[in-house]
Amino acid sequence: MSRPLQRGVTGVRTPDSKSKDKSEMEDWDNKRSSSDHSPLSPFRLHFADNNSHSKYGINENGFTSDPFIVGSPRSRVKLMMLLMKFSLAFIVVLALTGSFWWTMSISSSSRSHIYHGYRRLQEKLVSDLIDISELSSGPSKFKELESCSEELENFVPCFNVSENLALGSTDGNEFDRQCSRELRQYCLVLPPVNYKIPLHWPTGRDVIWIANVKITAEEVLSSGTLTKRMMMLDEEQISFRSASHMFDGIEDYSHQIAEMMGLRNESYFIQAGVRTILDIGCGYGSFGAHLFHSQLLTTCIANYEPSGSQVQLTLERGLPAMIASFTSKQLPYPSLSFDMLHCAWCGIDWDKKDGTLLIEADRLLKPGGYFVWTSPLIKSRNKEDQKRWKLVQDFTENLCFELLSQQDATVVWKKTSKKSCYSSRKSSSAPPLCGKGHDVETPYYRDLQNCIGGTQSSRWIPIEKKERWPSRANLNKNELAVYGLQPDEFAEDSESWRIAVRNYWSLLSPLIFSDHPKRPGEEDPPPPYNMFRNVLDMNAHFGGFNSALLQARKSVWVMNVVPVSGLNYLPLIHDRGFVGVLHDWCEAFPTYPRTYDLVHAAGLLSLETSHPRRCTMLDVFIEIDRVLRPEGWVIIRDTVPLIESARALITQLKWEARVIEIETDNDQRLLISQKPFHKKQAS
C-alpha cells in the first residue's frame, strides 16, 4: 500500500503560522526523544506506534482521544482510517464466525485445504492492518538501541544474587532464579574489549581464549577442585589437557565409576542404558568432555556465578550447560529424564531441607538410572560428618535406591526399576508418592515437593529395557502412543527436517566460508563440518531439527527448548536421548551472554502471537542477541507477515539479513541473519 509523502492541509503560510508550526514540531520531537522505547510488536493486534503523539492525542491503539474537527481534510482522512479499521475488524469477526459453523458441516478430508486458505486470509488481513496503522500514525522510525554498560557484560537477567541477598534470601536461596516484570533494559550486550571468535570444535573443547570468560589467573591457580587443577594458563588461552598423558585423574575416575557399576570401563555406559547425564556442579565440564568420546551427552548445571563461572567456561568449550541449582525450586526438566546424575564435590548438602533435594534428584532419574556422588563427607571420620552421611544413606534407601558400591569418597546408587518397591517400604517416615494432582510431568520452577514424583507417568520404563543409543532416537510405536502420535506422523516430521537441514547447509556454507576462510590460530576444515557447535532451538517440537543435524553427521549439540505457550513434547525429546528445557520466552534464558553459535526458531513467532503476551517481539530478539556469539547466525522460519516484521527488528539490532527465501511448499519464508562483531573500544 503506497504511503502519502505529505499530510495535512496545503496552502499559503503566513510568517506567524510558519513559526507556530516550527514550535509545534520542536515540541513533538522533544516528546519523541523523551519517550520510552516502544518497538514494533506483532504480539499485539494493532501494531500501533506508542511513541507517536500528535496534538490530537493519538493513544496506543491508534485512535484519537479528542473529537475530530469536522470539515477539515485532516479530520476526514483520520475518520476514513478509523472506518477502515472498524470495517476490517468486522470482516475478521464475520469470517471467524462463518468459518466456525462452516467447518462443523464439512468433511474432515477437505478441512486441511480450507484451513490453508483461511490462514492466508488471516495473514492478508494482518498485513493490511499493519499498513493502515502506519498510515494513521505516520511513518514510525525505530530508535537506535544503545550499548549496555560494562557491568552487564556477563550478567544474566533473573539471577541477581546481590538483589536476592538484599531481600533477605539466605541458605542458598540467593542463587534462586527470580524473573520479575520490571521494565526491561533495551540495550545490546557488547563483548569484552579483547574478545576473540572461539576456536572450532574439537580444538575449542581444549583451548579457549581467556578474554572471552570472566575469570582471573588467581581464580584458576588457587582453586583446589579437580577440573581447575587440569587447566594451564598462559597470556591469552586456557588449556584443558583432558586428552593428554599428563591427565589429572578424570580417565581413572570415569573408569572407577564404570567398575562400581559392574562395567569394564566407561565405554560400556551405552550398553548399560546410559546416554544422558546431568552433571551437577560440573567444574568446567571436563567429566562430560571426556565422556563425549563414548557418545554420551552430559549437561552441566551450576549456580549463577558473577566470576569464574562453571557454566560459562563449559559453554565456551562447546559443551552442554545451563544455569540451574538445587535450592528451593524444581528444575524445568521432565520427570524421568536422565540416565545418570553425577555430583562430584558439587557443594550440595543432600542431607538438608528434609531430603527434598534428594527427592528432586530422584524425580529427574529414569527408572534403573544411576546416582553418582563424590564428597569428602563420605569418608570423613568426623562424628558430625558421619551423622550426615548416615542421614543420606537412610533417605536414599527410603527412595528405593540400591547402594551398588562405595570406594573412597565415591558412592554409586541405582534407582529402582520396580514401582512395587515403594509399597514395600517399612519406614513410616519415608516420603510418600505424589498424587496425580501433584505429579507434574514437566514443572516450571515450581517449589520443591516432599513427595516422590514420576510414578504416575506412563513413561516409567527402565533404562535397561530401552533401545540403546543411537537407536533410541527413533521411538517405537508404543513409545509414540504415549504422546498420541502415529509412526507415520513422526516419520514425516523427521523427513521434513532432514530436507530442511540440507537446505540450511547449502545456503550457509558459501556465506560462512567466503566471509571467514580462516579462523585465528587454526585452519578451517572443509565444509560442511564444524561450522557450529552450540545450537539453540527455540521451538523444538519433537526434536526433529536435533535429530536431522546428527543424521547429517554435524559435530553439534542442541539445546532443545519447548516454550511454555506450546504443546509440551519435552518428555519425548528426553526419551529420544537429547537434552532440552521448558522455557518462557518472555523471560531471560538461563545462560550467559555469547554462548550459542546458531539460534533456530521455526514457527516460534506464530506460536507466540497466538497467545496474549506480556512482552514484545523486540524483547525476544534482544534476548537472542544476548545469547548469540559475535558472528553467530539466526535462522527463522515462519509466515510471510511475521518474517517481514522480524526483518524490521533485525535492522534495529544491526544484524545482517543474508538470505530471504520463500518456501513455496508450505507458504512460509526463511530468514537467515548474522550478528556482526561489534568490538568494544578500550577505554
Side-chain angles (χ1 to χ4, degrees):
M1 182 177 294
S2 62
R3 299 180 177 87
L5 297 178
Q6 297 180 357
R7 295 182 184 172
V9 180
T10 60
V12 180
R13 297 191 179 193
T14 64
D16 290 340
S17 64
K18 188 173 185 180
S19 174
K20 183 179 179 181
D21 290 343
K22 181 178 181 182
S23 176
E24 287 179 353
M25 287 299 296
E26 290 176 350
D27 292 342
W28 186 83
D29 290 337
N30 291 335
K31 289 180 181 180
R32 282 187 60 88
S33 62
S34 62
S35 62
D36 295 334
H37 295 283
S38 181
L40 175 65
S41 173
F43 292 169
R44 301 189 179 94
L45 178 62
H46 295 289
F47 298 88
D49 184 359
N50 296 337
N51 288 335
S52 299
H53 300 284
S54 73
K55 64 181 180 179
Y56 297 109
I58 297 179
N59 63 23
E60 66 179 1
N61 290 325
F63 299 110
T64 57
S65 56
D66 293 335
F68 289 109
I69 303 175
V70 180
S72 68
R74 185 181 183 91
S75 64
R76 286 197 296 270
V77 171
K78 291 185 177 181
L79 182 59
M80 288 176 61
M81 295 305 162
L82 181 61
L83 291 175
M84 290 177 67
K85 284 185 176 182
F86 277 119
S87 300
L88 280 172
F90 177 75
I91 293 173
V92 171
V93 173
L94 191 62
L96 289 172
T97 306
S99 63
F100 172 76
W101 293 108
W102 185 33
T103 51
M104 294 295 292
S105 60
I106 61 176
S107 63
S108 58
S109 61
S110 61
R111 287 180 182 176
S112 61
H113 300 288
I114 294 172
Y115 174 77
H116 185 71
Y118 173 65
R119 181 70 177 270
R120 285 191 172 186
L121 175 61
Q122 284 183 314
E123 293 171 2
K124 184 64 172 63
L125 289 173
V126 170
S127 178
D128 290 343
L129 282 172
I130 295 175
D131 290 338
I132 292 172
S133 181
E134 289 177 350
L135 281 173
S136 62
S137 60
S140 64
K141 295 182 180 179
F142 288 126
K143 289 188 177 181
E144 184 175 335
L145 292 173
E146 298 179 352
S147 301
C148 297
S149 61
E150 189 173 344
E151 291 74 21
L152 300 178
E153 197 173 82
N154 294 282
F155 180 64
V156 182
C158 303
F159 290 92
N160 194 330
V161 178
S162 58
E163 182 177 312
N164 290 346
L165 287 171
L167 294 175
S169 300
T170 56
D171 195 24
N173 292 340
E174 65 271 18
F175 298 107
D176 267 353
R177 174 182 175 278
Q178 300 290 342
C179 280
S180 57
R181 299 188 182 184
E182 71 276 3
L183 292 176
R184 292 173 172 82
Q185 295 184 350
Y186 289 95
C187 61
L188 302 180
V189 179
L190 295 186
V193 174
N194 298 321
Y195 182 87
K196 296 183 179 180
I197 302 299
L199 303 177
H200 276 300
W201 179 272
T203 306
R205 177 190 58 199
D206 301 322
V207 180
I208 66 173
W209 301 106
I210 192 170
N212 292 8
V213 293
K214 192 172 184 180
I215 191 170
T216 63
E218 291 75 16
E219 286 176 312
V220 175
L221 300 177
S222 63
S223 173
T225 64
L226 177 65
T227 52
K228 288 183 181 179
R229 288 202 311 270
M230 292 164 49
M231 296 189 300
M232 294 180 62
L233 190 67
D234 61 20
E235 292 182 357
E236 292 187 326
Q237 296 176 340
I238 299 176
S239 176
F240 301 83
R241 301 181 300 161
S242 58
S244 70
H245 294 292
M246 299 177 64
F247 198 66
D248 194 9
I250 285 293
E251 186 174 11
D252 293 337
Y253 175 67
S254 303
H255 188 78
Q256 175 189 353
I257 292 175
E259 289 184 334
M260 295 172 70
M261 294 168 55
L263 306 174
R264 182 179 299 177
N265 55 51
E266 61 270 24
S267 64
Y268 286 82
F269 280 167
I270 292 287
Q271 282 72 19
V274 176
R275 154 67 179 172
T276 55
I277 301 172
L278 185 66
D279 195 1
I280 307 163
C282 61
Y284 296 137
S286 294
F287 182 65
H290 175 66
L291 295 179
F292 173 80
H293 298 288
S294 301
Q295 301 186 61
L296 299 171
L297 186 62
T298 304
T299 303
C300 162
I301 62 169
N303 287 328
Y304 169 76
E305 300 164 283
S307 180
S309 164
Q310 304 171 69
V311 170
Q312 188 184 42
L313 266 78
T314 300
L315 285 163
E316 190 69 20
R317 298 181 64 185
L319 300 167
M322 62 174 281
I323 301 170
S325 58
F326 280 80
T327 51
S328 62
K329 304 290 185 182
Q330 290 183 307
L331 300 181
Y333 304 120
S335 302
L336 318 178
S337 287
F338 296 94
D339 306 311
M340 177 185 288
L341 263 62
H342 175 255
C343 171
W345 291 282
C346 60
I348 294 181
D349 298 325
W350 296 106
D351 58 307
K352 303 296 184 180
K353 298 195 176 184
D354 300 324
T356 53
L357 302 180
L358 281 170
I359 291 175
E360 175 65 0
D362 171 84
R363 183 187 72 83
L364 297 172
L365 265 181
K366 288 186 173 75
Y370 299 90
F371 182 34
V372 181
W373 184 33
T374 299
S375 170
L377 186 71
I378 296 172
K379 63 176 184 179
S380 175
R381 295 184 178 181
N382 180 278
K383 289 186 177 180
E384 183 63 27
D385 290 342
Q386 290 178 349
K387 181 180 178 181
R388 294 176 59 193
W389 166 227
K390 183 66 167 58
L391 286 174
V392 173
Q393 285 181 294
D394 293 342
F395 203 89
T396 52
E397 184 178 350
N398 290 333
L399 290 173
C400 284
F401 280 19
E402 177 189 357
L403 180 59
L404 293 183
S405 180
Q406 177 184 344
Q407 292 184 18
D408 300 325
T410 301
V411 61
V412 177
W413 286 280
K414 183 177 176 64
K415 178 177 177 176
T416 183
S417 299
K418 302 177 180 178
K419 292 183 182 180
S420 59
C421 175
Y422 299 112
S423 59
S424 63
R425 294 175 297 173
K426 298 179 181 179
S427 175
S428 59
S429 61
L433 302 182
C434 293
K436 290 186 177 180
H438 290 84
D439 199 355
V440 179
E441 184 80 278
T442 309
Y444 188 65
Y445 298 107
R446 187 178 64 160
D447 289 341
L448 289 172
Q449 304 295 296
N450 58 1
C451 58
I452 299 174
T455 59
Q456 304 288 340
S457 175
S458 54
R459 298 168 48 242
W460 183 282
I461 303 174
I463 62 172
E464 53 266 22
K465 293 185 179 181
K466 284 181 170 288
E467 292 288 338
R468 302 293 180 260
W469 179 263
S471 299
R472 182 189 292 190
N474 300 313
L475 302 181
N476 59 43
K477 181 178 180 179
N478 294 333
E479 290 173 321
L480 291 174
V482 172
Y483 305 97
L485 298 175
Q486 297 295 326
D488 292 345
E489 181 181 0
F490 188 74
E492 182 180 351
D493 180 80
S494 300
E495 177 63 17
S496 66
W497 279 115
R498 187 187 65 80
I499 297 173
V501 165
R502 184 176 60 189
N503 184 37
Y504 291 168
W505 246 250
S506 66
L507 295 170
L508 282 168
S509 296
L511 296 175
I512 292 176
F513 286 94
S514 62
D515 289 351
H516 301 285
K518 293 182 180 180
R519 292 289 188 186
E522 66 174 352
E523 293 288 335
D524 264 339
Y529 302 106
N530 302 336
M531 296 162 66
F532 309 107
R533 175 59 186 172
N534 299 353
V535 178
L536 178 67
D537 193 357
M538 300 179 69
N539 186 24
H541 202 49
F542 300 156
F545 180 53
N546 190 159
S547 179
L549 287 172
L550 296 183
Q551 289 179 8
R553 303 178 66 83
K554 309 302 180 187
S555 298
V556 301
W557 70 271
V558 180
M559 178 61 75
N560 296 283
V561 181
V562 173
V564 295
S565 55
L567 297 176
N568 182 16
Y569 287 110
L570 187 58
L572 180 148
I573 291 172
H574 278 265
D575 286 348
R576 299 185 70 179
F578 305 145
V579 62
V581 65
L582 197 68
H583 185 64
D584 182 350
W585 282 115
C586 280
E587 300 172 349
F589 192 71
T591 191
Y592 288 83
R594 305 172 301 278
T595 49
Y596 286 94
D597 306 302
L598 172 66
V599 174
H600 178 255
L604 177 71
L605 304 182
S606 293
L607 174 65
E608 298 295 351
T609 54
S610 64
H611 297 275
R613 306 301 294 165
R614 65 179 188 276
C615 63
T616 66
M617 186 189 285
L618 181 61
D619 294 322
V620 177
F621 274 71
I622 287 178
E623 178 62 9
I624 296 174
D625 183 87
R626 185 184 72 87
V627 304
L628 192 63
R629 284 173 173 167
E631 297 188 358
W633 295 82
V634 179
I635 300 177
I636 304 174
R637 293 176 67 193
D638 224 299
T639 61
V640 174
L642 292 175
I643 289 295
E644 290 302 312
S645 298
R647 286 182 63 189
L649 289 176
I650 67 173
T651 301
Q652 188 176 6
L653 293 169
K654 305 176 185 178
W655 296 354
E656 301 175 25
R658 305 298 296 273
V659 175
I660 301 173
E661 182 179 87
I662 297 178
E663 299 179 349
T664 56
D665 291 343
N666 51 15
D667 198 27
Q668 288 193 330
R669 182 166 290 183
L670 177 68
L671 171 64
I672 298 179
S673 180
Q674 185 181 26
K675 175 182 175 180
F677 190 171
H678 295 299
K679 291 188 177 181
K680 183 181 293 184
Q681 300 296 325
S683 57

